[in-house]
Amino acid sequence: MQEKVIILDFGSQTTQLIARRLRELSVYCEIVPYNKFPHDDPSVIGVILSGSPFSVYDEKAFRTDLSRIRGRLPILGICYGAQFIAYTNGGSVEPAGTREYGRAHLEHLDASNPLLRGLKPGSQVWMSHGDTITTLPDNFRIIASTDKVAVAAYQIEGEPVWGVQFHPEVYHSVDGTQILRNFVVDICGSRQDWNAASFIDTTVAALREQLGDDKVVLGLSGGVDSSVAAVLLNRAIGSNLTCIFVDHGMLRKDEFRDVLNDYKCLGLNVIGVDASQKFFSELAGVTEPERKRKIIGKGFIDVFDEEAHKIKDVKWLAQGTIYPDCIESLSITGTTIKSHHNVGGLPEKMNLRLCEPLRLLFKDEVRAVGRELGMPDHLIKRHPFPGPGLAVRILGDITPEKVRVLQEADHIFIQGLRDWDLYDKVWQAGVILLPVKSVGVMGDERTYESAVALRAVTSTDAMTADWAHLPYEFLAKVSNDIINKVKGVNRVAYDISSKPPATIEWE
Ligand code: XMP
């Protein structure tokens, strides 16, 4: 049985980070809403209470009953979680006067306490709170303070229950990982056996159990997530999985052919559908970005649905949904942190049961699983690419000729990044075809042709991104190559905007 730590989510923006840190310690964990603790699950070894945008004394504050957990499992409350435990046991929590945000240092810490073992006085932690615990219940003992916060950490005497006012999951808490390790390994007794290989073993077994002899369809995009999901399912159910790869005509140069080839080499049962004509005619004359997205989304669903219906007795639709895609469904406060752009609507249309074997993994974990499954590096390390493809990188209306121009320019840029060993150093890169013409001179000729923009960003999750500081020599070479080799382009610009306030894509 896969042991797990449960993170009760009270709505903090850093809840996901707690999960990340634990996974980095090879400890499996799941985030569940604050009031959905799985009481009947015998594999739970410990519980963490997250922070929250609320104050514990707010009427709307999220509350949960810990009585069935306390005494049975170790508990660690973080920020609101710590305040909640103190408050519901008779302590007091009050507004701090000024909101404390940023670095602080732990003084007077009790390094003999199992939670703080290995820490030295002065250890830097990250604070982000508007409330503070002003009095603790009698049986609570302070185990660390800062100069501003008396109760920076506490333990209930004789009980495996701790609270910390700071955020150990944030990198700026220098010993944060040590504290989390102390909790999950020393206190909860985790075996730290969560890794890609164990994930594959348990997931393949679970998929066989769940799917039996049922037939499954999966939409491949050429991207990492759907590809890894396909290979994993293929290992579990073999030829009962049929994959469909739709070419909407807006893929990169030779991508349809190359990726299809890769999939066949991996032993996948894959149908490639060239629907580019349909998309080109539906998109003709359309300039509005959201409209383009809608047309492609709907067209994709129609093509996929038609192909899937040619396969007999399909019962399941598999998708490569990953953990960050689920933020919205996990979001309990109603604030959408990121609305994901993936082409939605398929499950609703198809009336099939949904199978999402990667839904609890982060991107780098998906890559580790792919590697463990023996997938080639060039598939695993591929940059993210938008579902509507080059359609959102051609500003204005789309024609097959514009797609050709962009494919050529994009190919030079991406191949250049590979040749210069820069591809793996950026999160994502591509070229944008601008709806402007500018004057140039080539030989003795005056030219009046299109301008393109190069875009390359560094990021960890696409929610924020910085423009990649690529070497000037490299940019000069790419610019030269594009202007000399791509007919129709006579000017190249480099996009130096970060996200926010810009976004990664231009449309
Ligand atoms: P933005 O442009 O919002 O993009 O900074 C964030 C990430 O999402 C990708 N993206 C899309 N992916 N369908 C997708 O599947 C879309 O419509 C779409 N728009 C943007 C983008 O490439 C980046 O990785």
Side-chain angles (χ1 to χ4, degrees), residues 147-454:
D147 59 346
K148 289 210 192 78
V149 179
V151 188
Y154 65 73
Q155 180 183 3
I156 303 185
E157 259 167 41
E159 264 195 64
V161 178
W162 286 263
V164 291
Q165 180 57 68
F166 53 89
H167 287 272
E169 71 277 22
V170 171
Y171 274 120
H172 303 287
S173 290
V174 174
D175 294 315
T177 302
Q178 178 69 35
I179 293 172
L180 292 172
R181 179 190 287 115
N182 288 344
F183 181 68
V184 292
V185 179
D186 296 351
I187 295 170
C188 300
S190 167
R191 297 186 297 260
Q192 293 183 282
D193 58 2
W194 161 256
N195 56 37
S198 70
F199 170 83
I200 293 169
D201 287 347
T202 39
T203 310
V204 164
L207 285 169
R208 286 187 182 143
E209 170 98 26
Q210 180 187 27
L211 303 171
D213 289 328
D214 289 352
K215 294 230 169 95
V216 180
V217 280
L218 178 144
L220 285 171
S221 66
V224 183
D225 305 342
S226 63
S227 304
V228 172
V231 175
L232 189 61
L233 271 155
N234 181 253
R235 182 169 288 193
I237 62 165
S239 59
N240 275 343
L241 171 73
T242 305
C243 305
I244 300 173
F245 182 24
V246 178
D247 181 3
H248 50 36
M250 318 289 150
L251 296 174
R252 285 161 291 192
K253 186 178 177 188
D254 298 334
E255 188 170 22
F256 187 57
R257 189 194 67 195
D258 293 349
V259 174
L260 209 49
N261 221 1
D262 277 337
Y263 286 147
K264 288 192 173 143
C265 290
L266 284 167
L268 295 179
N269 176 13
V270 50
I271 301 171
V273 189
D274 178 358
S276 44
Q277 284 319 314
K278 167 186 165 72
F279 286 91
F280 277 128
S281 61
E282 286 177 8
L283 284 167
V286 179
T287 54
E288 213 270 309
E290 282 312 301
R291 189 94 201 92
K292 290 187 198 170
R293 277 200 166 79
K294 292 248 158 62
I295 291 172
I296 294 179
K298 177 169 182 315
F300 176 84
I301 291 169
D302 290 345
V303 175
F304 187 91
D305 193 40
E306 192 185 325
E307 285 303 317
H309 273 98
K310 294 182 189 159
I311 310 160
K312 271 219 170 87
D313 296 331
V314 176
K315 296 236 165 50
W316 298 82
L317 170 70
Q319 295 198 142
T321 317
I322 69 170
Y323 216 14
D325 300 333
C326 301
I327 297 178
E328 276 177 300
S329 39
L330 283 169
S331 166
I332 50 171
T333 52
T335 30
T336 302
I337 295 162
K338 182 193 180 198
S339 69
H340 56 97
H341 319 255
N342 290 337
V343 185
L346 260 183
E348 295 78 7
K349 161 117 186 179
M350 296 191 67
N351 198 19
L352 294 172
R353 296 171 76 188
L354 201 56
C355 169
E356 297 179 317
L358 307 178
R359 61 184 301 280
L360 294 174
L361 299 194
F362 292 101
K363 192 88 174 181
D364 54 339
E365 294 171 330
V366 173
R367 291 195 162 118
V369 168
R371 212 164 283 128
E372 187 71 30
L373 285 165
M375 294 170 66
D377 244 23
H378 69 268
L379 255 186
I380 292 169
K381 290 188 171 169
R382 296 189 83 185
H383 289 166
F385 185 63
L390 301 181
V392 290
R393 293 187 183 164
I394 295 174
L395 308 197
D397 72 317
I398 294 161
T399 63
E401 174 56 13
K402 287 186 185 174
V403 171
R404 184 202 63 77
V405 168
L406 184 53
Q407 280 178 336
E408 294 301 329
D410 181 81
H411 180 69
I412 289 171
F413 187 33
I414 299 296
Q415 193 54 45
L417 287 168
R418 288 190 197 281
D419 295 344
W420 286 59
D421 234 0
L422 294 165
Y423 186 86
D424 294 339
K425 300 200 169 84
V426 303
W427 165 266
Q428 172 171 7
V431 180
I432 296 95
L433 183 63
L434 306 179
V436 281
K437 297 214 164 201
S438 78
V439 173
V441 51
M442 265 182 150
D444 294 329
E445 297 278 311
R446 173 192 191 270
T447 60
Y448 186 58
E449 290 176 330
S450 295
V452 297
L454 309 181

Side-chain angles (χ1 to χ4, degrees), residues 85-125:
I85 297 168
Y87 186 72
T88 49
N89 281 279
S92 37
V93 173
E94 291 169 43
T98 53
R99 187 178 161 77
E100 193 185 13
Y101 183 81
R103 291 174 178 81
H105 296 90
L106 293 183
E107 308 296 344
H108 318 294
L109 67 86
D110 175 2
S112 68
N113 189 283
L115 188 74
L116 302 181
R117 205 165 283 150
L119 267 70
K120 300 213 165 47
S123 177
Q124 177 185 296
V125 294

